[in-house]
Amino acid sequence: MELMNFKEQIEKLITIKGIDAEVFDVTSRLEVFPERIREIAASLEEKQEGMKKSEEDLKRVQLEKNEKEMDMKAKEEKIAKYESELYNIKNNKEYKALQQEIGSVKADVSLLEEATIKCYDKISEAEINRERETRIYGEEKEKNAKEQNIIKEEEKNLSKHLAELKSLREKETEGIAPDILERYQRLLQNKGRAALSLVQGEMCGECNMQLRPQIINEAKLKKDLVFCENCGRMLYAED
């Protein structure tokens, strides 16, 4: 393709500048998606951990209750055994000693009964907590799925738009001298969103530094590449 005159090439670069700015913005939006996905996953994992802990807490108090009941049953069996032995004791001293032992074991049983009742209260609280944490996890899981679908759809649309922008940009570069395009590309890589800057009054439109009159006049003439002496961007002026 035949090269355009210098003014036409600058006009092309101005068009490309707008495309590049949009490419930069779309790319920046796409780059945040992985972090958004990680944040959503972390939130769900936190709720899942809360649910698991509530299940573990419930199992723990259920085990505690079972152990106390087993201990209480063993002591009740011991009491029954001691009471049956009372009938066979002839010695008054041994009889009293065994009665004291029975009393001590009964006191233990009484304490275990109270502890078991408290365990039932703990189980009730743990069940309520497990139900709450399970509900919270379920709600978060549903919310998580919806948010991920929204992100994936947005990512799909933005990726499509980015491909269209790049295709359009490729067409717009036709007719621009390779050396001019290469310098523009290097600046774009270094500056990010904009390699070209509009002269606004006496200022560079990108870095807001005052320009020398000669630089401003050269930018208006559009006969050669002109650069901001502060930020290094290519300068152009509107007709």
Side-chain angles (χ1 to χ4, degrees):
M1 182 177 178
E2 185 179 346
L3 292 179
M4 303 174 179
N5 62 48
F6 190 81
K7 183 176 180 181
E8 289 174 331
Q9 292 183 67
I10 292 297
E11 295 296 336
K12 275 278 191 179
L13 285 178
I14 293 170
T15 301
I16 291 171
K17 174 194 175 186
I19 297 171
D20 284 336
E22 194 169 356
V23 166
F24 182 88
D25 293 341
V26 171
T27 302
S28 297
R29 289 175 65 186
L30 284 169
E31 287 173 350
V32 304
F33 287 146
E35 182 59 29
R36 285 174 64 185
I37 292 292
R38 282 193 291 271
E39 288 174 355
I40 291 171
S43 178
L44 182 62
E45 185 177 349
E46 181 183 343
K47 302 301 186 297
Q48 188 176 35
E49 287 300 315
M51 182 180 69
K52 287 181 179 179
K53 185 178 182 303
S54 69
E55 291 172 347
E56 291 169 359
D57 289 343
L58 177 59
K59 288 178 182 178
R60 179 177 52 77
V61 292
Q62 286 174 333
L63 180 62
E64 182 183 351
K65 184 264 297 181
N66 291 339
E67 289 175 347
K68 291 188 184 305
E69 286 181 337
M70 289 174 63
D71 195 9
M72 188 164 57
K73 183 179 179 182
K75 289 185 181 300
E76 287 172 342
E77 289 174 353
K78 184 181 287 188
I79 290 170
K81 177 176 176 292
Y82 285 166
E83 287 179 339
S84 66
E85 290 176 356
L86 284 174
Y87 297 104
N88 299 321
I89 296 176
K90 306 301 181 181
N91 185 298
N92 190 48
K93 184 178 179 181
E94 290 180 359
Y95 186 87
K96 286 184 177 180
L98 190 54
Q99 277 189 323
Q100 287 180 348
E101 181 62 24
I102 291 171
S104 176
V105 177
K106 282 184 176 180
D108 290 342
V109 169
S110 179
L111 291 173
L112 284 169
E113 286 176 342
E114 291 178 8
T116 302
I117 291 171
K118 289 180 180 179
C119 282
Y120 277 106
D121 291 337
K122 289 179 182 178
I123 288 172
S124 179
E125 291 176 4
E127 286 175 338
I128 292 171
N129 186 54
R130 182 189 60 177
E131 289 175 6
R132 182 178 63 252
E133 292 296 331
T134 302
R135 185 183 70 254
I136 290 172
Y137 171 71
E139 291 171 351
E140 185 69 18
K141 188 176 181 181
E142 185 178 349
K143 176 186 172 186
N144 183 294
K146 288 179 180 178
E147 288 182 350
Q148 290 218 31
N149 288 335
I150 290 171
I151 289 173
K152 287 177 182 177
E153 186 64 24
E154 188 178 354
E155 185 176 22
K156 177 183 173 183
N157 293 335
L158 285 175
S159 296
K160 180 181 177 182
H161 183 46
L162 182 60
E164 292 170 349
L165 288 170
K166 289 181 176 179
S167 177
L168 177 61
R169 186 187 192 281
E170 185 68 25
K171 291 178 182 178
E172 291 294 337
T173 60
E174 294 175 0
I176 300 177
D179 60 326
I180 293 176
L181 192 58
E182 184 181 351
R183 294 189 73 174
Y184 174 85
Q185 284 294 130
R186 285 203 304 269
L187 277 171
L188 187 65
Q189 290 174 359
N190 292 330
K191 302 301 180 182
R193 194 173 187 273
L196 210 62
S197 178
L198 171 64
V199 175
Q200 295 181 326
E202 297 179 350
M203 305 290 185
C204 169
E206 292 296 327
C207 70
N208 295 318
M209 292 298 290
Q210 187 167 2
L211 302 168
R212 290 188 294 114
Q214 181 184 349
I215 296 292
I216 296 172
N217 290 334
E218 289 175 356
K220 288 179 178 179
L221 289 173
K222 295 181 181 176
K223 290 184 178 180
D224 198 0
L225 294 178
V226 183
F227 300 90
C228 173
E229 294 172 316
N230 180 61
C231 68
R233 290 180 173 88
M234 289 184 185
L235 292 170
Y236 71 97
E238 294 177 339
D239 293 332

